[in-house]
Amino acid sequence: MDTFTPDPRRWWALGALVASMLTLGFDMTILNVALPTMAADLGATTGEQQWMADAYVVVFAALMLPAGLLGDRFGRRRMLVVGLGIFLAASLLGALADDVNWVVAARALMGVGGALVTPLALSVLPSLFGADERAKAVGIISAGSALGLPLGPIMGGWLLNHFWWGSVFLINVPMAAIGILACVLLLPETRDPSSPKVDTVSTALTATGLGALIYAIIEAPSRGWTDALVLGMLAASVVLLTALVLRERRQSRPMLDMSLLGHRGFLFNTLAATLVMFILSGLLFVLPPYLQAVLGNDALGTGVRLLPMMGGLLVATRLAPLVVTRFGARATVSTGLVVLAFAAFLGSRTTTDSGYGFTATWLSITGLGFGLSLIPAMNGALGTLPRDRAGSGSGLLTTLRQVGGAIGIALLGSLLASVFRDRLDVTGLPAQAADTAGDSVIAAHLVAQKTGSADLLASANSAYVHGMGVILLVCGAAALVAALLAAVFLPATPKTEATATTPDMAPEPADA
């Protein structure tokens, strides 16, 4: 067995990877704060806002596994640089866009870049660090990505207060450029030629199947669930995703190893993590319009007021390993989901007169529930896998989490749009103005300002808060179901390692 010699520039190289992951991390939340402003400037409906958020997530989820395999075969540093280059170009496109469709296209292209960067940033670590340093390196890169979550809303709010909405895309350009330069100068090239080949058919089935499903969910509130196009897209998604599963089950070395779901611990931990992402993504979509439109905060104030959720999440990241060590992973995941359900049910009691203090309280509890459930669920999913399947298992886990996030934005956003439109009182408005007001709470506020209608303004705020309460009730019910499943079906594990990922997540490089 060869003696491992750590790269002397490894910590500088880790800095390059952290810069790359930080860029992706705050991009995940920076857009949520910008959406209300973009909706007002571009005249975007709720459905179009959902596409601006979901275009990135759908493409990311569909391409992450094949992107990782491309890095294994053609060079991880090369593909990292390509991914950051695509992300940079797409960010420029988004900053210059003056139409909703171009923004959606830019977000989809950013998803391509993100899909290349995320798995490869972890997979180069084994070539840089020995076993004694690798866990620390993984922790640092994970912290860098997590740090982007609270930074995104604050940075996005500051940019929107001083510049136009395109600045939330433009900020990615220097960050990605620094990442590219650092990767070129500091990262060694690594490959794993023995990895499975990229299956273009499976990739196409994943992208089209998810795209059809998300399209149907987003369009249903305006077209109706019985609309021919919506039903056709739902049927197409079922056919395409079924074909994907059948194809992958027949492959000797599948790109998406569905047989891993036969491991009970992996299946139910993955289900818990996916449901948590479903709730988190949906909440981050519906909260900024409430904070900005209903409570009247500016963009920076909106970003700052999301911090209690991020604060609760960061507290839970430190607390979860200690709780797991004391009570076991099953008890921790179940408890975290119950805490999440309690926060959602508490939040559903929000009214237009509640004020921010009440909101900050349930947001803090929400973040705590997220962390207590998500971290040990991910640990537990990976911990049940054999060493030789840890790489494919982590890829499947991350893909399903992203799918959960995309569906959360689509389903919860569509439910909110439907409830808001039904609840909004547009009595006395011209037909066109009434139709525009029903598009979103932002649109209703703009119509109210133009018409001078205080009644429409009050109705819009009341309808949105009611819709948000319905969303929170759904989230609470989903969290309770997940808690019950976790308590009944998760394996009883008295102790789990604190780290969320291990060195075995990525295959060892063939060359350094």
Side-chain angles (χ1 to χ4, degrees):
M1 183 175 179
D2 296 333
T3 302
F4 179 83
T5 303
D7 192 294
R9 299 176 301 173
R10 60 193 181 280
W11 295 108
W12 289 103
L14 183 65
L17 298 175
V18 168
S20 303
M21 294 299 292
L22 181 62
T23 303
L24 299 185
F26 69 66
D27 182 72
M28 294 294 286
T29 52
I30 198 171
L31 185 76
N32 295 98
V33 174
L35 276 177
T37 303
M38 295 170 68
D41 290 353
L42 297 173
T45 65
T46 298
E48 288 171 332
Q49 292 175 62
Q50 287 168 268
W51 273 118
M52 284 191 278
D54 256 347
Y56 177 92
V57 184
V58 169
V59 173
F60 183 98
L63 297 184
M64 193 190 68
L65 284 177
L69 297 178
L70 285 173
D72 290 343
R73 289 196 164 266
F74 300 109
R76 294 168 183 141
R77 182 181 66 181
R78 180 180 300 166
M79 288 296 104
L80 263 173
V81 170
V82 169
L84 287 168
I86 292 173
F87 197 83
L88 187 154
S91 298
L92 271 177
L93 177 63
L96 299 174
D98 58 359
D99 175 76
V100 170
N101 294 326
W102 279 109
V103 173
V104 171
R107 290 289 294 167
L109 193 58
M110 290 169 73
V112 176
L116 281 166
V117 172
T118 301
L120 296 178
L122 280 173
S123 66
V124 299
L125 293 182
S127 65
L128 294 173
F129 297 94
D132 56 332
E133 295 179 326
R134 214 174 291 163
K136 181 180 179 181
V138 170
I140 291 173
I141 199 171
S142 299
S145 181
L147 184 62
L149 294 176
L151 280 181
I154 296 175
M155 185 177 294
W158 185 86
L159 288 170
L160 289 168
N161 276 10
H162 292 82
F163 307 101
W164 90 117
W165 59 260
S167 59
V168 302
F169 292 104
L170 203 59
I171 190 65
N172 294 331
V173 173
M175 292 289 292
I178 291 171
I180 290 171
L181 183 64
C183 287
V184 169
L185 296 178
L186 299 172
L187 279 183
E189 185 61 282
T190 60
R191 294 179 179 85
D192 182 12
S194 64
S195 66
K197 293 182 179 180
V198 175
D199 188 337
T200 53
V201 175
S202 292
T203 302
L205 288 172
T206 305
T208 54
L210 285 177
L213 176 62
I214 299 302
Y215 182 89
I217 295 173
I218 289 176
E219 291 296 317
S222 57
R223 292 177 175 270
W225 285 98
T226 57
D227 178 77
L229 181 59
V230 171
L231 291 175
M233 284 294 182
L234 285 173
S237 70
V238 171
V239 171
L240 291 166
L241 294 176
T242 301
L244 169 69
V245 172
L246 293 176
R247 178 179 176 83
E248 290 298 285
R249 287 175 67 88
R250 290 198 303 266
Q251 301 293 319
S252 58
R253 299 192 67 193
M255 188 178 70
L256 194 67
D257 194 351
M258 304 300 294
S259 66
L260 293 172
L261 297 177
H263 295 257
R264 189 182 74 171
F266 183 82
L267 172 62
F268 287 101
N269 274 304
T270 298
L271 180 61
T274 301
L275 282 172
V276 169
M277 287 304 298
F278 169 89
I279 297 168
L280 176 61
S281 299
L283 279 185
L284 286 176
F285 180 81
V286 304
L287 274 170
Y290 164 71
L291 295 170
Q292 196 161 338
V294 178
L295 295 189
N297 298 295
D298 61 14
L300 178 59
T302 297
V304 170
R305 282 165 177 79
L306 285 172
L307 285 182
M309 180 191 291
M310 304 305 174
L313 181 59
L314 291 177
V315 169
T317 60
R318 303 300 299 268
L319 184 62
L322 303 176
V323 178
V324 169
T325 301
R326 178 67 177 85
F327 298 103
R330 179 170 65 181
T332 307
V333 172
S334 302
T335 301
L337 288 165
V338 170
V339 171
L340 187 55
F342 171 77
F345 290 140
L346 182 65
S348 70
R349 300 182 64 84
T350 302
T351 67
T352 53
D353 300 321
S354 294
Y356 177 68
F358 179 70
T359 301
T361 300
W362 63 261
L363 280 181
S364 301
I365 302 171
T366 299
L368 188 65
F370 281 139
L372 286 177
S373 53
L374 184 62
I375 295 170
M378 291 179 62
N379 286 348
L382 294 173
T384 61
L385 299 174
R387 282 177 63 92
D388 62 346
R389 302 176 77 183
S392 57
S394 62
L396 179 59
L397 170 62
T398 307
T399 298
L400 291 176
R401 283 176 54 216
Q402 293 297 329
V403 170
I407 294 176
I409 293 170
L411 193 59
L412 297 178
S414 294
L415 178 59
L416 176 65
S418 180
V419 172
F420 174 78
R421 182 180 283 271
D422 291 344
R423 191 91 171 183
L424 184 67
D425 184 3
V426 292
T427 304
L429 286 178
Q432 185 175 356
D435 187 61
T436 300
D439 285 340
S440 68
V441 67
I442 305 296
H445 273 237
L446 291 174
V447 172
Q449 290 171 10
K450 289 180 180 178
T451 60
S453 174
D455 290 340
L456 176 60
L457 196 65
S459 177
N461 289 345
S462 175
Y464 193 86
V465 170
H466 176 74
M468 189 176 74
V470 172
I471 297 304
L472 288 166
L473 286 174
V474 171
C475 290
L480 278 184
V481 170
L484 181 62
L485 291 173
V488 173
F489 294 108
L490 282 184
T493 50
K495 188 175 181 179
T496 301
E497 291 297 324
T499 51
T501 48
T502 70
D504 301 316
M505 280 181 65
E508 290 288 345
D511 57 352

